[in-house]
Amino acid sequence: MSKGLPKRSEDYAQWYNELVKKADLAENSAVRGCMIIKPYGYSIWEKMQRQLDDMFKETGHSNAYFPLFIPKSYLSKEADHVEGFAKECAVVTHYRLKNDENGKGVVVDPDAKLEEELIVRPTSETIIWNTYKNWVQSYRDLPLLINQWANVVRWEMRTRLFLRTAEFLWQEGHTAHATKQEALDETVQMINIYSEFAEEYMALPVIKGIKSESERFAGALETYCIEGLMQDGKALQAGTSHFLGQNFAKAFDVKFTAKDGKQDFVWGTSWGVSTRLIGALIMAHSDDEGLVLPPKLAPIQVVIVPIYKTEEDRNNIAKVANELRASLKKKHISVNFDNRDTHKPGFKFAEWELKGVPLRIAIGPRDLENGTVELARRDTKEKQTVNIEGIDQVIEDTLDKIQINIYDKAKAFRTENTHQVDTYEEFKDILENKAGFVSAHWDGTAETEDRIKEETKATIRCIPLDAKEEAGTCIYSGKPSNKRVLFAKAY
Amino acid sequence: MSKGLPKRSEDYAQWYNELVKKADLAENSAVRGCMIIKPYGYSIWEKMQRQLDDMFKETGHSNAYFPLFIPKSYLSKEADHVEGFAKECAVVTHYRLKNDENGKGVVVDPDAKLEEELIVRPTSETIIWNTYKNWVQSYRDLPLLINQWANVVRWEMRTRLFLRTAEFLWQEGHTAHATKQEALDETVQMINIYSEFAEEYMALPVIKGIKSESERFAGALETYCIEGLMQDGKALQAGTSHFLGQNFAKAFDVKFTAKDGKQDFVWGTSWGVSTRLIGALIMAHSDDEGLVLPPKLAPIQVVIVPIYKTEEDRNNIAKVANELRASLKKKHISVNFDNRDTHKPGFKFAEWELKGVPLRIAIGPRDLENGTVELARRDTKEKQTVNIEGIDQVIEDTLDKIQINIYDKAKAFRTENTHQVDTYEEFKDILENKAGFVSAHWDGTAETEDRIKEETKATIRCIPLDAKEEAGTCIYSGKPSNKRVLFAKAY
């Protein structure tokens, strides 16, 4: 098959768009800004979900489901929250259609107007905290550790598949606690889980940090985030965990009686990751030949392609391939035996490269004679001839190596593209000519942050959790600073 | 704990409503008709999902995700479809809120009106077939075997938790085929999968059949269904599988080139089950003490309650309980060790009865001496003293027995409550005084069906697939009939 992908070096944005479509991950729908996640793309999401869900449950969380719709007035109850979301809400105003009097199609029935308009949830803090009010009376009812897998809608004007869509799929955790410290611990625990997931499963090295005030979630006192670096040198926020303080408890009057009999407002957190992670996965690792998927999230980990001229060879190879598939299945390795007779091996090789299958096994008649197969790695493109005997272990080990190699490569890229600067000139030079993360001193004011953003399009991605105390001066204002923060242009 | 449940015999409807709430399954939300599925209820849904998803995948289906919103005009493209759904559609008309000029809250921004209104999907045939148009060119692209797990909205005026809610969760399969026969086979395969799921996992005996024309899905040529009988003698439709013929292919112009080079419209099916199944599960098996859950879908299969007076006893019991839990975990049996010190054993017994945990193990100091535990079944309320040695196997076997017993009990109930009648007098008498399924001859006309419904509130639940050819006369019109159909009042 002809891939026809643009090269990353020539047009990174176009490369991404084309890759998402050609690898059958997703496409645009007839509804503006809403995507269709195709089976291959969705199966990556399922792998992500399964892993994250296990991690949430291991830390004591349960899943639940809250309504898609939020009464309009709820949004206004937390001042910052409504400010953050009102401008991108899909609004339901009617509940019925009727036949058009001209006999053509249907129209909205004006008699079926809702008394109060409903918002399609952009996030569920308001409807959930309104519910928590009834679930919490005493400290015995706390903590509430709840997660929801759901679709949400934010009416974005400029959308891109996976990265920014009007509707997206995500999980949103919403927890309620008796003490501030417990809520803070939960916030940190969840950003650590996200970080572990990104690094161990997505093979994506991330920086953990906290957001500056301007970049905080609308309604939070503190937002923790993980930030990854894409191959074009732009940052991508891959997950956030918010310490909500008592903001939503106050907005929705959620109080509890403590052990000592005193009443207090509950402390809250919320945290989420979305189908955006699929965008990050693609952008971080893939190449001009197509997707490069880390084995732990690849829907197909191994593909077997038979190479034959005669029907007899085909049958003999199929026998070996099916045995191999069965024995790998026992090791929970997912295998596709591509025995289609409608396509040639070269076409198949290209297709599975495009789709990012980590390991390809080719078996020809000579291999049968020699008791070998050809093993090809997607990440390094290395090929080697391997004995069939004992190959299970070789495959298992190679998949582990691929997982590590993809991570190491992304990490080396990030190291190369993280720059420490001390002047605004250097700062601008890097953002214009090299991109990547820029570590610099900042005076801590929103004003400076805004100016820098205006002048360079770079934003503060985060104040890294491991940032050291270091006396310095703000690159923009020259005012004193005691910590470097991380700037970048971002998705 | 005091359960305070109404008795089924006194007020079945109220018993159901109270049970759903008291067992922490679900509750009504602030949004009319939309429910909140609480963690315990959602964990039953997760078990259902996991099992069904495995069954779908084993039969070659993949998951994907299509937009929540459907352009209004799409709905009109299939005439019966729009007729069926237009009257209960939530309609999005705007995409932004703005601050109210009076400074109080937010209002819909009139400048942000959509050019074409969007419907919140009541089902996804239209948006999916509009997509399939681009996915199908040749017979090589077929079949498309796709499923979606999603939320849908139907603006119901009278709602009941799980059974009928404005928003509900479901799966909807949408397949496309090159031949009529293949689509018909798929339709039947999926109703068989639903039937297997209902009987093997939900322990719910169901009748497989096809719907009469009036009860068919809007846009289908044939609707297959499974119908279960609830304890109040009402029927509940638990799943449907629709043969769509070429209706949606024609409405959305989905054509393919066959092997012989000829163009034809694609053949389609769709099939779904929803969170309604949780309602069926409750109504079919539970009793005046609370839920009775079949072990295969119970979130907690075994609960261990310690009975102690001293802290020393408590510690000794905990040791045994934790060992038992660990060894059951290896057998994939889910166990909760309820070691709370805040509640007495009697309270705990009642709580876990209410929540339908199939097996309860009580361990007291004397049990420790004797090397025994007390095992209590939720379904039969039988108790027995069992040696701890070898108890794993006893528990596993007992769970199997419970699963079978719950099914057998429901099946016996259905047999008792299925009546064969030959006159309209008998028919009315049964529906008034006994309820249940009524097997009777019908002349095959919608007119007779409507009259019977008007006069008795009973509908034709289905024409059973295993109905025998049998000459008879319609109970209502006296016209000839060659098959009995199944009537009942229904949820």
Side-chain angles (χ1 to χ4, degrees), chain B residues 25-51:
Chain B
L25 298 175
E27 64 183 45
N28 291 306
S29 78
V31 182
R32 219 186 132 285
C34 292
M35 68 179 155
I36 291 159
I37 307 180
K38 297 178 80 172
Y40 194 61
Y42 198 85
S43 62
I44 296 175
W45 181 238
E46 285 180 295
K47 288 222 149 196
M48 289 179 164
Q49 281 190 299
R50 189 66 68 98
Q51 180 55 37

PDB file of all heavy atoms in Angstrom, chain B residues 25-51:
ATOM      1  N   LEU B  25     -28.367   1.511  44.539  1.00  0.00           N
ATOM      2  CA  LEU B  25     -28.156   1.243  43.121  1.00  0.00           C
ATOM      3  C   LEU B  25     -28.240   2.520  42.294  1.00  0.00           C
ATOM      4  O   LEU B  25     -27.403   2.772  41.433  1.00  0.00           O
ATOM      5  CB  LEU B  25     -29.188   0.233  42.615  1.00  0.00           C
ATOM      6  CG  LEU B  25     -29.152  -1.151  43.274  1.00  0.00           C
ATOM      7  CD1 LEU B  25     -30.299  -2.013  42.774  1.00  0.00           C
ATOM      8  CD2 LEU B  25     -27.817  -1.836  43.001  1.00  0.00           C
ATOM      9  N   ALA B  26     -29.268   3.308  42.541  1.00  0.00           N
ATOM     10  CA  ALA B  26     -29.451   4.523  41.740  1.00  0.00           C
ATOM     11  C   ALA B  26     -30.393   5.471  42.452  1.00  0.00           C
ATOM     12  O   ALA B  26     -31.072   5.083  43.415  1.00  0.00           O
ATOM     13  CB  ALA B  26     -30.032   4.162  40.374  1.00  0.00           C
ATOM     14  N   GLU B  27     -30.426   6.707  41.988  1.00  0.00           N
ATOM     15  CA  GLU B  27     -31.378   7.674  42.517  1.00  0.00           C
ATOM     16  C   GLU B  27     -31.721   8.682  41.434  1.00  0.00           C
ATOM     17  O   GLU B  27     -31.023   8.778  40.418  1.00  0.00           O
ATOM     18  CB  GLU B  27     -30.822   8.363  43.767  1.00  0.00           C
ATOM     19  CG  GLU B  27     -29.582   9.195  43.526  1.00  0.00           C
ATOM     20  CD  GLU B  27     -29.008   9.808  44.807  1.00  0.00           C
ATOM     21  OE1 GLU B  27     -28.904   9.077  45.823  1.00  0.00           O
ATOM     22  OE2 GLU B  27     -28.660  10.997  44.794  1.00  0.00           O
ATOM     23  N   ASN B  28     -32.800   9.407  41.664  1.00  0.00           N
ATOM     24  CA  ASN B  28     -33.164  10.450  40.707  1.00  0.00           C
ATOM     25  C   ASN B  28     -32.227  11.636  40.855  1.00  0.00           C
ATOM     26  O   ASN B  28     -31.731  11.907  41.943  1.00  0.00           O
ATOM     27  CB  ASN B  28     -34.608  10.891  40.945  1.00  0.00           C
ATOM     28  CG  ASN B  28     -35.589   9.801  40.562  1.00  0.00           C
ATOM     29  OD1 ASN B  28     -35.570   9.296  39.447  1.00  0.00           O
ATOM     30  ND2 ASN B  28     -36.438   9.407  41.502  1.00  0.00           N
ATOM     31  N   SER B  29     -31.976  12.315  39.748  1.00  0.00           N
ATOM     32  CA  SER B  29     -31.101  13.484  39.811  1.00  0.00           C
ATOM     33  C   SER B  29     -31.933  14.749  39.778  1.00  0.00           C
ATOM     34  O   SER B  29     -33.164  14.709  39.698  1.00  0.00           O
ATOM     35  CB  SER B  29     -30.162  13.481  38.611  1.00  0.00           C
ATOM     36  OG  SER B  29     -30.855  13.941  37.459  1.00  0.00           O
ATOM     37  N   ALA B  30     -31.267  15.875  39.829  1.00  0.00           N
ATOM     38  CA  ALA B  30     -31.947  17.162  39.758  1.00  0.00           C
ATOM     39  C   ALA B  30     -32.482  17.415  38.352  1.00  0.00           C
ATOM     40  O   ALA B  30     -33.296  18.308  38.143  1.00  0.00           O
ATOM     41  CB  ALA B  30     -30.964  18.267  40.155  1.00  0.00           C
ATOM     42  N   VAL B  31     -32.003  16.623  37.382  1.00  0.00           N
ATOM     43  CA  VAL B  31     -32.468  16.802  36.007  1.00  0.00           C
ATOM     44  C   VAL B  31     -33.593  15.806  35.742  1.00  0.00           C
ATOM     45  O   VAL B  31     -33.399  14.603  35.855  1.00  0.00           O
ATOM     46  CB  VAL B  31     -31.321  16.568  35.003  1.00  0.00           C
ATOM     47  CG1 VAL B  31     -31.800  16.816  33.585  1.00  0.00           C
ATOM     48  CG2 VAL B  31     -30.137  17.451  35.347  1.00  0.00           C
ATOM     49  N   ARG B  32     -34.731  16.324  35.403  1.00  0.00           N
ATOM     50  CA  ARG B  32     -35.940  15.525  35.223  1.00  0.00           C
ATOM     51  C   ARG B  32     -35.703  14.257  34.389  1.00  0.00           C
ATOM     52  O   ARG B  32     -35.268  14.324  33.250  1.00  0.00           O
ATOM     53  CB  ARG B  32     -36.987  16.379  34.522  1.00  0.00           C
ATOM     54  CG  ARG B  32     -38.380  16.175  35.045  1.00  0.00           C
ATOM     55  CD  ARG B  32     -39.357  16.945  34.201  1.00  0.00           C
ATOM     56  NE  ARG B  32     -40.466  16.075  33.857  1.00  0.00           N
ATOM     57  CZ  ARG B  32     -40.396  15.114  32.955  1.00  0.00           C
ATOM     58  NH1 ARG B  32     -39.304  14.917  32.287  1.00  0.00           N
ATOM     59  NH2 ARG B  32     -41.453  14.349  32.729  1.00  0.00           N
ATOM     60  N   GLY B  33     -35.974  13.113  34.995  1.00  0.00           N
ATOM     61  CA  GLY B  33     -35.910  11.865  34.234  1.00  0.00           C
ATOM     62  C   GLY B  33     -34.526  11.273  34.079  1.00  0.00           C
ATOM     63  O   GLY B  33     -34.386  10.183  33.545  1.00  0.00           O
ATOM     64  N   CYS B  34     -33.505  12.007  34.491  1.00  0.00           N
ATOM     65  CA  CYS B  34     -32.130  11.484  34.385  1.00  0.00           C
ATOM     66  C   CYS B  34     -31.717  10.903  35.735  1.00  0.00           C
ATOM     67  O   CYS B  34     -31.905  11.527  36.771  1.00  0.00           O
ATOM     68  CB  CYS B  34     -31.151  12.587  33.996  1.00  0.00           C
ATOM     69  SG  CYS B  34     -31.399  13.196  32.315  1.00  0.00           S
ATOM     70  N   MET B  35     -31.150   9.702  35.705  1.00  0.00           N
ATOM     71  CA  MET B  35     -30.795   9.069  36.969  1.00  0.00           C
ATOM     72  C   MET B  35     -29.298   9.193  37.266  1.00  0.00           C
ATOM     73  O   MET B  35     -28.488   9.419  36.376  1.00  0.00           O
ATOM     74  CB  MET B  35     -31.185   7.595  36.961  1.00  0.00           C
ATOM     75  CG  MET B  35     -30.398   6.725  36.008  1.00  0.00           C
ATOM     76  SD  MET B  35     -30.912   4.971  36.081  1.00  0.00           S
ATOM     77  CE  MET B  35     -30.403   4.456  34.426  1.00  0.00           C
ATOM     78  N   ILE B  36     -28.990   9.024  38.533  1.00  0.00           N
ATOM     79  CA  ILE B  36     -27.602   8.875  38.960  1.00  0.00           C
ATOM     80  C   ILE B  36     -27.406   7.398  39.280  1.00  0.00           C
ATOM     81  O   ILE B  36     -28.133   6.850  40.107  1.00  0.00           O
ATOM     82  CB  ILE B  36     -27.320   9.739  40.200  1.00  0.00           C
ATOM     83  CG1 ILE B  36     -27.363  11.216  39.816  1.00  0.00           C
ATOM     84  CG2 ILE B  36     -25.973   9.374  40.829  1.00  0.00           C
ATOM     85  CD1 ILE B  36     -27.607  12.135  40.984  1.00  0.00           C
ATOM     86  N   ILE B  37     -26.481   6.768  38.593  1.00  0.00           N
ATOM     87  CA  ILE B  37     -26.193   5.361  38.898  1.00  0.00           C
ATOM     88  C   ILE B  37     -25.086   5.356  39.936  1.00  0.00           C
ATOM     89  O   ILE B  37     -23.970   5.818  39.690  1.00  0.00           O
ATOM     90  CB  ILE B  37     -25.769   4.587  37.642  1.00  0.00           C
ATOM     91  CG1 ILE B  37     -26.818   4.786  36.527  1.00  0.00           C
ATOM     92  CG2 ILE B  37     -25.615   3.095  37.963  1.00  0.00           C
ATOM     93  CD1 ILE B  37     -26.491   4.053  35.232  1.00  0.00           C
ATOM     94  N   LYS B  38     -25.415   4.882  41.133  1.00  0.00           N
ATOM     95  CA  LYS B  38     -24.460   4.915  42.245  1.00  0.00           C
ATOM     96  C   LYS B  38     -23.430   3.787  42.104  1.00  0.00           C
ATOM     97  O   LYS B  38     -23.628   2.855  41.319  1.00  0.00           O
ATOM     98  CB  LYS B  38     -25.228   4.826  43.561  1.00  0.00           C
ATOM     99  CG  LYS B  38     -26.168   6.025  43.757  1.00  0.00           C
ATOM    100  CD  LYS B  38     -26.966   5.928  45.031  1.00  0.00           C
ATOM    101  CE  LYS B  38     -26.121   6.357  46.213  1.00  0.00           C
ATOM    102  NZ  LYS B  38     -26.971   6.454  47.454  1.00  0.00           N
ATOM    103  N   PRO B  39     -22.331   3.879  42.829  1.00  0.00           N
ATOM    104  CA  PRO B  39     -21.259   2.896  42.626  1.00  0.00           C
ATOM    105  C   PRO B  39     -21.717   1.436  42.674  1.00  0.00           C
ATOM    106  O   PRO B  39     -21.314   0.639  41.833  1.00  0.00           O
ATOM    107  CB  PRO B  39     -20.271   3.225  43.750  1.00  0.00           C
ATOM    108  CG  PRO B  39     -20.413   4.712  43.911  1.00  0.00           C
ATOM    109  CD  PRO B  39     -21.896   4.969  43.732  1.00  0.00           C
ATOM    110  N   TYR B  40     -22.593   1.093  43.613  1.00  0.00           N
ATOM    111  CA  TYR B  40     -22.986  -0.324  43.698  1.00  0.00           C
ATOM    112  C   TYR B  40     -23.795  -0.740  42.466  1.00  0.00           C
ATOM    113  O   TYR B  40     -23.586  -1.829  41.909  1.00  0.00           O
ATOM    114  CB  TYR B  40     -23.779  -0.581  44.985  1.00  0.00           C
ATOM    115  CG  TYR B  40     -23.921  -2.050  45.319  1.00  0.00           C
ATOM    116  CD1 TYR B  40     -22.797  -2.835  45.559  1.00  0.00           C
ATOM    117  CD2 TYR B  40     -25.174  -2.658  45.393  1.00  0.00           C
ATOM    118  CE1 TYR B  40     -22.918  -4.188  45.850  1.00  0.00           C
ATOM    119  CE2 TYR B  40     -25.307  -4.012  45.693  1.00  0.00           C
ATOM    120  CZ  TYR B  40     -24.170  -4.770  45.920  1.00  0.00           C
ATOM    121  OH  TYR B  40     -24.293  -6.106  46.215  1.00  0.00           O
ATOM    122  N   GLY B  41     -24.685   0.132  42.032  1.00  0.00           N
ATOM    123  CA  GLY B  41     -25.450  -0.157  40.819  1.00  0.00           C
ATOM    124  C   GLY B  41     -24.560  -0.183  39.592  1.00  0.00           C
ATOM    125  O   GLY B  41     -24.688  -1.044  38.714  1.00  0.00           O
ATOM    126  N   TYR B  42     -23.615   0.744  39.543  1.00  0.00           N
ATOM    127  CA  TYR B  42     -22.736   0.819  38.371  1.00  0.00           C
ATOM    128  C   TYR B  42     -21.834  -0.409  38.288  1.00  0.00           C
ATOM    129  O   TYR B  42     -21.488  -0.859  37.193  1.00  0.00           O
ATOM    130  CB  TYR B  42     -21.900   2.105  38.409  1.00  0.00           C
ATOM    131  CG  TYR B  42     -21.317   2.428  37.054  1.00  0.00           C
ATOM    132  CD1 TYR B  42     -22.067   3.130  36.115  1.00  0.00           C
ATOM    133  CD2 TYR B  42     -20.040   2.013  36.694  1.00  0.00           C
ATOM    134  CE1 TYR B  42     -21.560   3.396  34.856  1.00  0.00           C
ATOM    135  CE2 TYR B  42     -19.523   2.282  35.438  1.00  0.00           C
ATOM    136  CZ  TYR B  42     -20.284   2.983  34.528  1.00  0.00           C
ATOM    137  OH  TYR B  42     -19.780   3.243  33.276  1.00  0.00           O
ATOM    138  N   SER B  43     -21.480  -0.960  39.442  1.00  0.00           N
ATOM    139  CA  SER B  43     -20.592  -2.127  39.394  1.00  0.00           C
ATOM    140  C   SER B  43     -21.328  -3.344  38.813  1.00  0.00           C
ATOM    141  O   SER B  43     -20.697  -4.210  38.215  1.00  0.00           O
ATOM    142  CB  SER B  43     -19.988  -2.416  40.766  1.00  0.00           C
ATOM    143  OG  SER B  43     -20.996  -2.722  41.689  1.00  0.00           O
ATOM    144  N   ILE B  44     -22.653  -3.394  38.958  1.00  0.00           N
ATOM    145  CA  ILE B  44     -23.417  -4.454  38.276  1.00  0.00           C
ATOM    146  C   ILE B  44     -23.364  -4.222  36.765  1.00  0.00           C
ATOM    147  O   ILE B  44     -23.151  -5.139  35.978  1.00  0.00           O
ATOM    148  CB  ILE B  44     -24.884  -4.485  38.763  1.00  0.00           C
ATOM    149  CG1 ILE B  44     -24.937  -4.838  40.250  1.00  0.00           C
ATOM    150  CG2 ILE B  44     -25.714  -5.478  37.941  1.00  0.00           C
ATOM    151  CD1 ILE B  44     -26.330  -4.771  40.853  1.00  0.00           C
ATOM    152  N   TRP B  45     -23.526  -2.959  36.364  1.00  0.00           N
ATOM    153  CA  TRP B  45     -23.454  -2.614  34.941  1.00  0.00           C
ATOM    154  C   TRP B  45     -22.075  -2.964  34.372  1.00  0.00           C
ATOM    155  O   TRP B  45     -21.955  -3.507  33.274  1.00  0.00           O
ATOM    156  CB  TRP B  45     -23.778  -1.129  34.752  1.00  0.00           C
ATOM    157  CG  TRP B  45     -23.751  -0.653  33.328  1.00  0.00           C
ATOM    158  CD1 TRP B  45     -22.972   0.358  32.816  1.00  0.00           C
ATOM    159  CD2 TRP B  45     -24.549  -1.127  32.227  1.00  0.00           C
ATOM    160  NE1 TRP B  45     -23.237   0.521  31.475  1.00  0.00           N
ATOM    161  CE2 TRP B  45     -24.190  -0.371  31.084  1.00  0.00           C
ATOM    162  CE3 TRP B  45     -25.520  -2.127  32.099  1.00  0.00           C
ATOM    163  CZ2 TRP B  45     -24.775  -0.580  29.833  1.00  0.00           C
ATOM    164  CZ3 TRP B  45     -26.100  -2.335  30.857  1.00  0.00           C
ATOM    165  CH2 TRP B  45     -25.723  -1.572  29.743  1.00  0.00           C
ATOM    166  N   GLU B  46     -21.024  -2.706  35.128  1.00  0.00           N
ATOM    167  CA  GLU B  46     -19.677  -3.049  34.661  1.00  0.00           C
ATOM    168  C   GLU B  46     -19.527  -4.549  34.426  1.00  0.00           C
ATOM    169  O   GLU B  46     -18.892  -4.977  33.469  1.00  0.00           O
ATOM    170  CB  GLU B  46     -18.627  -2.582  35.681  1.00  0.00           C
ATOM    171  CG  GLU B  46     -18.404  -1.077  35.666  1.00  0.00           C
ATOM    172  CD  GLU B  46     -17.349  -0.650  36.685  1.00  0.00           C
ATOM    173  OE1 GLU B  46     -17.600  -0.817  37.902  1.00  0.00           O
ATOM    174  OE2 GLU B  46     -16.291  -0.160  36.279  1.00  0.00           O
ATOM    175  N   LYS B  47     -20.116  -5.344  35.337  1.00  0.00           N
ATOM    176  CA  LYS B  47     -20.044  -6.801  35.158  1.00  0.00           C
ATOM    177  C   LYS B  47     -20.803  -7.216  33.898  1.00  0.00           C
ATOM    178  O   LYS B  47     -20.369  -8.099  33.152  1.00  0.00           O
ATOM    179  CB  LYS B  47     -20.636  -7.502  36.378  1.00  0.00           C
ATOM    180  CG  LYS B  47     -19.737  -7.398  37.597  1.00  0.00           C
ATOM    181  CD  LYS B  47     -19.683  -8.731  38.326  1.00  0.00           C
ATOM    182  CE  LYS B  47     -18.352  -8.910  39.006  1.00  0.00           C
ATOM    183  NZ  LYS B  47     -18.104 -10.287  39.407  1.00  0.00           N
ATOM    184  N   MET B  48     -21.960  -6.606  33.694  1.00  0.00           N
ATOM    185  CA  MET B  48     -22.738  -6.902  32.488  1.00  0.00           C
ATOM    186  C   MET B  48     -21.951  -6.519  31.232  1.00  0.00           C
ATOM    187  O   MET B  48     -21.858  -7.279  30.268  1.00  0.00           O
ATOM    188  CB  MET B  48     -24.061  -6.135  32.505  1.00  0.00           C
ATOM    189  CG  MET B  48     -25.057  -6.643  33.531  1.00  0.00           C
ATOM    190  SD  MET B  48     -26.575  -5.650  33.495  1.00  0.00           S
ATOM    191  CE  MET B  48     -27.715  -6.731  34.406  1.00  0.00           C
ATOM    192  N   GLN B  49     -21.388  -5.325  31.274  1.00  0.00           N
ATOM    193  CA  GLN B  49     -20.620  -4.818  30.122  1.00  0.00           C
ATOM    194  C   GLN B  49     -19.476  -5.737  29.755  1.00  0.00           C
ATOM    195  O   GLN B  49     -19.259  -6.067  28.601  1.00  0.00           O
ATOM    196  CB  GLN B  49     -20.015  -3.455  30.467  1.00  0.00           C
ATOM    197  CG  GLN B  49     -20.981  -2.304  30.372  1.00  0.00           C
ATOM    198  CD  GLN B  49     -20.235  -0.987  30.486  1.00  0.00           C
ATOM    199  OE1 GLN B  49     -19.591  -0.716  31.498  1.00  0.00           O
ATOM    200  NE2 GLN B  49     -20.313  -0.155  29.469  1.00  0.00           N
ATOM    201  N   ARG B  50     -18.722  -6.137  30.769  1.00  0.00           N
ATOM    202  CA  ARG B  50     -17.536  -6.935  30.528  1.00  0.00           C
ATOM    203  C   ARG B  50     -17.921  -8.242  29.826  1.00  0.00           C
ATOM    204  O   ARG B  50     -17.305  -8.665  28.850  1.00  0.00           O
ATOM    205  CB  ARG B  50     -16.841  -7.211  31.869  1.00  0.00           C
ATOM    206  CG  ARG B  50     -15.468  -7.848  31.792  1.00  0.00           C
ATOM    207  CD  ARG B  50     -14.400  -6.968  31.163  1.00  0.00           C
ATOM    208  NE  ARG B  50     -14.041  -5.807  31.946  1.00  0.00           N
ATOM    209  CZ  ARG B  50     -12.968  -5.732  32.754  1.00  0.00           C
ATOM    210  NH1 ARG B  50     -12.148  -6.751  32.877  1.00  0.00           N
ATOM    211  NH2 ARG B  50     -12.715  -4.623  33.411  1.00  0.00           N
ATOM    212  N   GLN B  51     -18.994  -8.873  30.337  1.00  0.00           N
ATOM    213  CA  GLN B  51     -19.409 -10.144  29.774  1.00  0.00           C
ATOM    214  C   GLN B  51     -19.941  -9.984  28.344  1.00  0.00           C
ATOM    215  O   GLN B  51     -19.567 -10.720  27.430  1.00  0.00           O
ATOM    216  CB  GLN B  51     -20.457 -10.791  30.684  1.00  0.00           C
ATOM    217  CG  GLN B  51     -20.952 -12.124  30.184  1.00  0.00           C
ATOM    218  CD  GLN B  51     -19.824 -13.107  29.932  1.00  0.00           C
ATOM    219  OE1 GLN B  51     -18.846 -13.140  30.679  1.00  0.00           O
ATOM    220  NE2 GLN B  51     -19.937 -13.899  28.857  1.00  0.00           N
TER     221      GLN B  51
END
